[in-house]
Amino acid sequence: ELIQSFITKNINLSNCETIRDEKIKNHLLSKSIFAVSKSGTVSLEISNAKIPSIIIYKINFINYLIIKMLVKTKYANIINIAAKEEVIPELLQSNCNAHNIYKYVVNFLDNPEKITYQLNKIDLILKTMKTESNPAQLAAVSLNKLII
């Protein structure tokens, strides 16, 4: 509510929404042509909905340093980690600013071949992640193997 209030009152963007309700989210995704999102489950939902996107993420500097020491991966987004390349641009920390977000979105929207490339790569990655088995069952079996 605070973010939505800021967007509509302070920045005067009438075509932007923040959403929490699942039905509304699915409806908005079905009508979207591009997304700017944080890394996490929502970025997978956006990818699965075949919407081109960029990832933005900024945390406080101390937490960033701690995570940087503990996590040894080049990317923050699961699609990029799986692809071993930056399929979805990631604007992290100091690169996560209004100028860069604007630049990346406009670059994508002005270059349909970039959108096509991204969506095709995402489709290939998602196909490798899908399974006919119940994911909860697979996780339980894997954890059981570790415990026993």
Side-chain angles (χ1 to χ4, degrees), residues 6 36 43 49 55 80 83 110 119:
F6 181 79
V36 176
S43 67
I55 301 298
N80 293 341
D110 285 346
L119 294 178

Side-chain angles (χ1 to χ4, degrees), residues 28-92:
L28 287 175
L29 283 176
S30 73
K31 303 294 182 197
S32 297
I33 62 164
F34 197 85
V36 176
S37 80
K38 67 176 187 65
S39 185
T41 307
V42 72
S43 67
L44 276 177
E45 291 175 300
I46 289 166
S47 293
N48 202 39
K50 299 181 182 351
I51 301 166
S53 65
I54 63 170
I55 301 298
I56 60 172
Y57 212 80
K58 188 182 273 190
I59 58 176
N60 80 45
F61 189 68
I62 301 295
N63 287 345
Y64 173 74
L65 289 177
I66 293 168
I67 290 170
K68 194 76 172 155
M69 288 187 312
L70 297 174
V71 178
K72 301 297 179 199
T73 183
K74 192 173 178 180
Y75 306 106
N77 183 273
I78 189 71
I79 297 291
N80 293 341
I81 293 168
K84 297 181 181 153
E85 68 175 290
E86 192 176 72
V87 175
I88 303 173
E90 297 180 359
L91 301 176
L92 311 175

